[in-house]
Amino acid sequence: MSNIRKVILIILSVLSLMVIGAYAFLQVQLNKVNRITAGETEFTTEDFEEDTDEPDSITSVDWGEMNGIRTRDGVTNVLLVGQDTRQEGERARSDSMIILSVDTVHNRMTMTSLMRDLYVKIPGYSDNKLNAAYRFGGFELLDATIEENFGISIDYNIEVDFEGFQTVIDAVDGIDVVLTADEVAYMSRQSAYGRDHNNKTITGLVVGENHLYGEAALVYARIRYVATANGTRDDYGRTERQRTVIQQVFQQLKDQPWTDLLGIYDNVADVLTTDMTNDELLSIALTAYNLGANEIEEYRVPEDGSYSGEYVRRMSVLVPNDWNVLRANLQEFIYGA
């Protein structure tokens, strides 16, 4: 064997070992994420989140006509679920539900907030608020509920609780958020879980731009009773703030080199729960990274002026004026023309 051939074989052997080592390292890192396997979800009995003493204002709902579940090659929908649980291992109602869509057809990313009080059909259960589906049957039931009501296919899911949310924010070294005077006043007398949480309060806030870390960012993302700078209140304002947080996290991450992203991922992996395999997780991350999008387009369901507030079973709920229009608008936003 010539010396040149020997050198080539040595180089190829070293490269092969490096590739194998890198793949093994990635698998170890990806295995740190908590996994939920399809078919292993424990379903619970139903309950109703009673928040009013008002008599029923509706007796029936016009659900429109479903024309199947829409999909499109090149568009992947990942449902981001934030759950309001205070006890480890407990599955609570979903505090936030955002569909993050990665679209390689139009080279864009979008996020759609689904209002938790939407009155929907839940397969196998009574009609209820959308956020009840996750409590009753986790990812499996929530995905089925979204597909049945909105005609949108959910490909994957990622869930994080309050503690995990703070870990993610701290891992990206905080986020920049512009606060109004009312938001500063509200946040300064709150803690992440209310005023009695270890007697903590958020200090040092100013009107204008603030750099928020874990707990402060969580308090900001959960504000309901103070209007945003756009005048949005209640849960509508909260979903706007949640999208702001995701937008800021995205801005922190989009220009980071892969080496830094791996370090951030290592800090947050064990607070995330997903139904994605390692290969699926890596594939969607690479696809999103390579899109080169500068921002994430935003949408909320239902849109302003497209629903009414109603009462049923002692629950305050949101009922769309026209389910067919809602579905068509949402599908156009996610999948494009």
Side-chain angles (χ1 to χ4, degrees):
M1 182 182 295
S2 67
N3 289 335
I4 294 178
R5 289 182 64 190
K6 289 180 180 179
V7 170
I8 292 174
L9 286 174
I10 291 172
I11 292 174
L12 290 175
S13 298
V14 171
L15 289 175
S16 297
L17 288 173
M18 290 176 63
V19 170
I20 293 171
Y23 180 78
F25 172 77
L26 279 175
Q27 293 300 311
V28 170
Q29 294 296 100
L30 293 170
N31 283 334
K32 293 179 180 180
V33 176
N34 301 304
R35 287 318 203 296
I36 290 180
T37 304
E40 294 184 355
T41 300
E42 180 181 349
F43 287 73
T44 69
T45 56
E46 68 181 3
D47 58 50
F48 301 96
E49 190 178 53
E50 298 180 353
D51 56 7
T52 182
D53 291 324
E54 296 289 337
D56 288 0
S57 61
I58 55 173
T59 56
S60 64
V61 173
D62 182 357
W63 301 102
E65 297 180 5
M66 273 289 293
N67 296 312
I69 309 301
R70 185 173 174 188
T71 62
R72 182 168 187 169
D73 290 342
V75 178
T76 302
N77 293 325
V78 181
L79 182 64
L80 309 180
V81 177
Q83 68 162 331
D84 181 7
T85 183
R86 316 292 169 88
Q87 183 174 344
E88 185 176 354
E90 176 189 4
R91 191 176 67 214
R93 288 174 178 254
S94 42
D95 197 53
S96 65
M97 293 159 284
I98 296 176
I99 302 173
L100 180 66
S101 304
V102 180
D103 181 355
T104 59
V105 178
H106 304 95
N107 289 324
R108 66 180 190 138
M109 294 177 64
T110 65
M111 57 177 161
T112 304
S113 295
L114 303 178
M115 296 293 290
R116 65 180 194 164
D117 289 340
L118 268 167
Y119 192 56
V120 298
K121 296 181 289 184
I122 299 180
Y125 292 84
S126 304
D127 303 339
N128 206 324
K129 293 185 178 183
L130 178 59
N131 69 346
Y134 185 74
R135 173 174 171 78
F136 299 163
F139 291 154
E140 185 177 340
L141 184 58
L142 181 54
D143 290 353
T145 300
I146 290 172
E147 291 176 355
E148 176 167 332
N149 289 271
F150 303 105
I152 296 293
S153 174
I154 300 299
D155 300 294
Y156 307 115
N157 300 268
I158 297 177
E159 179 267 324
V160 63
D161 61 15
F162 284 174
E163 293 293 341
F165 176 95
Q166 295 178 74
T167 300
V168 170
I169 299 301
D170 288 338
V172 300
D173 198 28
I175 58 174
D176 292 324
V177 173
V178 176
L179 299 177
T180 66
D182 288 342
E183 288 172 331
V184 169
Y186 180 87
M187 292 178 64
S188 296
R189 62 179 185 269
Q190 298 293 315
S191 73
Y193 299 89
R195 301 180 190 181
D196 298 328
H197 179 58
N198 297 328
N199 295 315
K200 287 184 178 181
T201 55
I202 308 302
T203 60
L205 301 175
V206 299
V207 177
E209 186 170 290
N210 293 259
H211 194 71
L212 305 183
Y213 289 95
E215 184 174 9
L218 178 60
V219 172
Y220 169 79
R222 301 195 72 239
I223 295 176
R224 297 176 61 188
Y225 304 110
V226 174
T228 67
N230 296 323
T232 311
R233 292 181 176 274
D234 303 321
D235 271 337
Y236 316 102
R238 176 154 65 175
T239 61
E240 181 181 321
R241 292 183 179 97
Q242 291 166 353
R243 293 192 300 275
T244 295
V245 169
I246 293 176
Q247 196 77 255
Q248 290 303 310
V249 169
F250 175 73
Q251 294 302 319
Q252 291 283 77
L253 297 178
K254 69 183 180 67
D255 296 323
Q256 297 278 358
W258 265 106
T259 50
D260 291 352
L261 290 177
L262 285 174
I264 293 171
Y265 169 83
D266 185 53
N267 289 327
V268 305
D270 61 356
V271 301
L272 304 177
T273 299
T274 186
D275 53 3
M276 283 187 267
T277 65
N278 285 353
D279 289 343
E280 289 167 342
L281 188 60
L282 184 59
S283 175
I284 193 66
L286 285 170
T287 300
Y289 184 79
N290 290 328
L291 276 183
N294 289 320
E295 64 178 0
I296 307 176
E297 298 174 38
E298 301 180 23
Y299 189 60
R300 191 196 78 212
V301 174
E303 299 179 64
D304 288 340
S306 69
Y307 63 91
S308 61
E310 304 291 350
Y311 305 109
V312 59
R313 297 195 193 91
R314 299 181 68 182
M315 298 185 296
S316 303
V317 298
L318 306 178
V319 178
N321 298 336
D322 190 321
W323 268 102
N324 289 334
V325 171
L326 182 150
R327 293 185 188 103
N329 291 343
L330 174 59
Q331 291 176 11
E332 181 178 355
F333 176 73
I334 290 180
Y335 296 110

